[in-house]
Amino acid sequence: MTITAVDVVDVRFPTSRSLDGSDAMNPDPDYSAAYVVLHADDGFEGHGFTFTIGRGNDLCCAAIETLSEYVVGADVHGPADLGDLYRRLTHDSQIRWLGPEKGVMHLAAAALVNAAWDLASRRAGLPLWKYLSSLTPEEVVACVDWRYLSDALTPEGALAILRAAEPGKAERVAEVEREGYPAYTTSPGWLGYDDEKVVRLAREAVAQGYQQIKLKVGADLEDDRRRFAAARAAVGPGIRIAVDANQRWDVDQAVAWVEALAEFDPWWIEEPTSPDDVLGHAAIRKRLAPIKVATGEHVHNRVMFKQLLQAGAIDFLQMDAARVAGVNENLAILLLAKHFGVPVCPHAGGVGLCELVCHLSMFDYTSVSATMDDRVIEYVDHLHEHFTAPTVIADGRYTAPTAPGFSAEMKRESLQRFAYPNGPEWRELA
Amino acid sequence: MTITAVDVVDVRFPTSRSLDGSDAMNPDPDYSAAYVVLHADDGFEGHGFTFTIGRGNDLCCAAIETLSEYVVGADVHGPADLGDLYRRLTHDSQIRWLGPEKGVMHLAAAALVNAAWDLASRRAGLPLWKYLSSLTPEEVVACVDWRYLSDALTPEGALAILRAAEPGKAERVAEVEREGYPAYTTSPGWLGYDDEKVVRLAREAVAQGYQQIKLKVGADLEDDRRRFAAARAAVGPGIRIAVDANQRWDVDQAVAWVEALAEFDPWWIEEPTSPDDVLGHAAIRKRLAPIKVATGEHVHNRVMFKQLLQAGAIDFLQMDAARVAGVNENLAILLLAKHFGVPVCPHAGGVGLCELVCHLSMFDYTSVSATMDDRVIEYVDHLHEHFTAPTVIADGRYTAPTAPGFSAEMKRESLQRFAYPNGPEWRELA
């Protein structure tokens, strides 16, 4: 039951042609994945990826190739093996120098760690969220790298959190299977869309059952005010509208800009400034209250999330499935968020991020926070057709995945067609 | 006067064989450089590199190749061009997603930015520190990316700092040429050295004129106490002994460990915990005072340094020449440090870091802080023989570089001999 080979594919979708995904910092993303398949000697495969927006995806693929030497020959049939593998992938001292635990190497580790969890949960015959829910508190805690966390949360503290969630877990698993998990949608709000499209898509979102939508802001204040006013008029006062600046501002600028949008009742301001700026987020949150602050999709590791929580810098923690080093590091982040009482509202969209991250939120509900209050998972209606077990939304909620694994597998024909630079789609464009 | 070609070399030195450079987190580094040569159409070259400790150096080289498209065709004959180039290298939105401004891509940007400054100062016929000292305050400020800094320091504030340092600048330039800049040495203290070697090298360091040495700690407390006691006995009470844990500890552990070393009078504790942990450093500093806290060699960008300063987390800022995106980002960091009144004591050692960083400290003295009080540049006596204009130490001080450029150029025969994996040195080892 060991991994015998690792395949890596550079797959990119030419999304920049339609301005899907456009925002104030990322005007022309080509949603991409550094995609990996682990082959095990018992015939099982593990699929995983990290998400990028185009250029540099090849470097993530090369980094995955470099890290593959820690994966080939590894056993991954249980959670203890997954903890060991994660630590090997993040703790090689020479490679650690390139971060530590950030940037291209960490994205590469995410792809491999996620693929290993896909493999393990396929072997167990369970969707990842149920596989995680089946682990004991001790097994979960052993998957985490506790280094640098103990001033905020110790393994013992984490065990207490997990044990407290044991009662009622079976009922919550059944509830997730029955009712899914709440979503919000960013589809109406891309910066490249004109007002008419924003209004039409916002109305459609409400008709589809969403209670929250999100608008991109930060390029031009008058445009933002006009679009926000139109969207608010379209959906009415009862629907939450979050706004997202994608790191565009400095601290003072963030406060002033969001104050100028306050009359339209923003639910949260997302990524107001640099994802590295813990103290900046804390200052913005303090000055903008009661408007809430959210960040996380670019927060690179558990040490940064720890500080965002310690500093009281965020109202919502936007975990990303493949920015930090995969499932193991996200277990730490879920536990930290619970400890500080901050709801996790994951980042998704891109390509495949919806497919992945819902597993983590569902596990959070069954086994960590045990609540869905104020929790929503981002949903964007892009590129799901490329996955073998795509996200299914019903009445504004994520349907619980049922297929064994982490829902990371892309269709073979998609991988071939969008392989970069030699797949037929890119050859036609070139 | 444009750049027409970029050569990249993966050069690695098998330093792990001698335990030079060994510490509690990095037991077996092979000091390496992702090395770049810019060729300009007027015949000038620009040399630069980023430093790694072995595996993954090839990924930095690949990242430099990716970024080269922003360099070929660029004009770099003046500081405004260097500001433009730096922004192009760090602001491509698709590549920025891989960080932002951290990890492999940022290390690659450092190599290219530094090479461009080498080229510009060679053209000017000046060593970099004098070239920087010749710029007007306005030119320096225009080289900085001010995004995310304005809550701590604005361009106007930076101009005021630089203008205040204009009087006396010529005298300070002359003083640097005459007397150099104070150094301290880490050569005695590598973790892989036995006590006898530590004592011998510590005594030699004092005999050579050093007023400060540094010991690696953090693997075993009793070893640390014994080595520190021996070193203190060897050099006496008047010599500063810094200790360096290379990120080994959590917060409580750092405090307890350093308290157990306090009787030997440590001057500073360096990298007590994760370089990402601003709040952790602040807590450690508060609890350990009056023992001082230093960090910086792994601090990945100006936003993190801003916060370390805002939080009162450090007594000494250990700038690295090639961890952040080269000269431009280090200009921001020098200005921030001056604004907060924190001395810059750069990280050096590795391969070529001494050669580079002394230029920045000398500029800091002539044009920013205008003081050498409590300022020292790290010095390690390794691998200087590979450079065409190696660091010269006299009586425990860096001698001012006189050759035009940034002192980054390695000898051609060294680049060939240590090219990885096909240079003769590595072929012999394999």
Side-chain angles (χ1 to χ4, degrees), chain A residues 57-77:
Chain A
N57 200 54
D58 50 327
L59 294 168
C60 290
C61 290
I64 293 170
E65 300 273 11
T66 295
L67 289 177
S68 292
E69 75 169 277
Y70 299 89
V71 177
V72 172
D75 242 341
V76 290
H77 67 279

Side-chain angles (χ1 to χ4, degrees), chain B residues 154-169:
Chain B
T154 61
E156 296 70 33
L159 274 177
I161 288 170
L162 292 160
R163 285 175 184 150
E166 288 285 297
K169 190 198 273 188

Side-chain angles (χ1 to χ4, degrees), chain A residues 168-185:
Chain A
K169 190 198 273 189
E171 291 74 14
R172 289 191 297 276
V173 168
E175 184 190 340
V176 167
E177 290 182 317
R178 199 172 60 239
E179 299 179 17
Y181 197 102
Y184 76 93
T185 178

Side-chain angles (χ1 to χ4, degrees), chain A residues 148 150 247 277 306-307, chain B residues 148 150 247 250 276-277 306:
Chain A
Y148 304 139
S150 64
Q247 313 169 23
D277 201 346
K306 177 188 76 167
Q307 292 176 87
Chain B
Y148 304 138
S150 64
Q247 313 170 22
D250 280 29
D276 293 344
D277 201 345
K306 177 189 76 167

Side-chain angles (χ1 to χ4, degrees), chain B residues 16-40:
Chain B
S16 61
R17 286 182 296 176
S18 59
L19 299 183
D20 297 342
S22 56
D23 64 51
M25 291 291 273
N26 306 292
D28 57 353
D30 285 325
Y31 284 169
S32 304
Y35 188 90
V36 61
V37 186
L38 309 180
H39 300 276

